[in-house]
Amino acid sequence: MFGKIAAASLLALVATTATIATASAGTVYDGRWSLTINTQRGTCDTYNFPVEIVNGHVSFPGLVRASGRVVKGGAVRVSVAVPGKWAAGSGRLTVMNGHGRWTGKSGEDRCSGTWTAQKS
């Protein structure tokens, strides 16, 4: 489950790569993204997720608490939480791909790693 949270947070990270300018205007980051989350520390696995960015906001079907934002230049931060689990990530997106790092906790277990994203 933690891996899903971590993946979702990275997904949010990648998907929220909108410029701060206008939230209602489309951004170069809008569209479908393919997110891969790799664990380098802890017991979480590798995960692949589809992500949708619309007007710079990420959508996470089935997640209750997820937030993220991309600032001018593609820098992105995101967080995701479900009861007993959380994950946060940051990184950078370009028009077609992105990368960054994430960290999280599931119960007493801590995990961290990297994420990559490709625009579909």
Side-chain angles (χ1 to χ4, degrees), residues 11 14-15 17 28-35 49-53 93-98 117-120:
L11 177 62
V14 172
T17 51
V28 296
Y29 307 107
D30 286 1
R32 289 179 102 30
W33 290 78
S34 208
L35 175 69
F49 289 90
V51 178
E52 184 76 26
I53 300 174
L93 289 181
T94 66
V95 175
M96 295 304 293
N97 57 53
Q118 299 290 319
K119 195 168 189 181
S120 302

Side-chain angles (χ1 to χ4, degrees), residues 2-3 6 37-47 101-106 108-114:
F2 173 73
I37 298 170
N38 296 297
T39 299
Q40 294 174 318
R41 193 189 92 198
T43 58
C44 302
D45 293 324
T46 296
Y47 297 90
R101 302 198 56 77
W102 67 271
T103 185
K105 188 172 182 183
S106 176
E108 296 302 314
D109 296 331
R110 290 189 174 273
C111 293
S112 62
T114 60

Side-chain angles (χ1 to χ4, degrees), residues 11-18 53 56-58 67-70 76-78:
L11 177 62
L13 176 70
V14 172
T16 57
T17 51
I53 300 174
H57 297 283
V58 68
S67 65
R69 184 151 193 91
V70 177
V76 61
R77 289 194 172 279
V78 66

